[in-house]
Every structure is written in structure tokens, then in C-alpha cells.
Amino acid sequence: LFFPQEFADDFPVAMQISEKYGLVYVITKLGLLFVYDLETASAVYRNRISSDPIFTCCDAPTSGGFLAINRGGQVIECTVNTQAMVPFVSTQLKNLDLAMSMARRGNLPGAESLIT
């Protein structure tokens, strides 16, 4: 995991696996979310989901995501934006093989334009 300078003291508190999308979610104490592809271990996404410390998480298999609770008592649900995932991976990450694999595995839209 790569932590930005301002999060140098941060550490993972949970790891959830989405069988629905084949992703691994790593959630840190300071509220960072790292998303990795389960098959290739490729980094897919990183963002801060909470300004308050996260202290527990559990999977949400129906949505393919997870639920987290922070110190402020907020319940945070995170999952994949199904409409944006494949286009994001193909255009922003420039990884067409991963985009196609994710579309096939998760039955996600957006790969139609990648097939020539």
C-alpha cells in the first residue's frame, strides 16, 4: 500500500473481498479506501471515505461492497459504480485487459466500445 505523506502513520483496519466483482477493499484507520483487482492484485482505485477514524467493517454481499462504521457513528456503505468502473479502468488506468476481465467477471457495462 502506498500512503500519501499526510497519512504516513495510517494502517489497514479491514480487508473485505467482493466475490460479486472480484475486488479487494482495504480500509484504513484514517478512512482511506484502496481497491484492488482480486485476480491480478492491480490497484484500481484510492479515495478517502471518512474524515473520522474507521473502527469496524463488514461485507455487504448483496451490493458487492462493504459497510464501515467510523468513530462519529456514521455507517458508510461503499460499492462499485457499475456504470463507471469499466470506462474508468480502460481510460484512466489505461488497462484494457483488466477492464475486459472486470466487465466479464462482474457482468459490468462499458466494455462494448472496447471490442473491435
Side-chain angles (χ1 to χ4, degrees):
L1 297 175
F2 169 75
F3 291 99
Q5 184 67 30
E6 62 272 19
F7 294 95
D9 295 335
D10 200 5
F11 57 91
V13 294
M15 182 178 356
Q16 301 295 326
I17 296 175
S18 170
E19 292 184 26
K20 183 173 185 174
Y21 297 117
L23 298 172
V24 177
Y25 303 109
V26 179
I27 305 95
T28 71
K29 180 179 180 182
L30 297 180
L32 291 180
L33 167 65
F34 295 86
V35 181
Y36 296 93
D37 177 65
L38 184 61
E39 288 183 359
T40 64
S42 299
V44 176
Y45 186 73
R46 182 185 81 196
N47 203 355
R48 190 165 190 193
I49 60 170
S50 174
S51 57
D52 288 332
I54 301 289
F55 71 90
T56 191
C57 296
C58 68
D59 68 334
T62 304
S63 70
F66 66 93
L67 298 168
I69 300 176
N70 67 17
R71 185 183 293 166
Q74 290 178 304
V75 177
I76 303 162
E77 182 177 14
C78 293
T79 191
V80 170
N81 179 340
T82 57
Q83 299 298 314
M85 178 61 90
V86 172
F88 176 81
V89 171
S90 65
T91 59
Q92 298 296 311
L93 302 182
K94 301 191 184 321
N95 191 334
L96 298 179
D97 291 336
L98 180 59
M100 292 295 291
S101 175
M102 293 175 81
R104 183 178 55 256
R105 190 175 50 226
N107 197 25
L108 298 171
E112 301 82 14
S113 63
L114 303 177
I115 301 170
T116 56

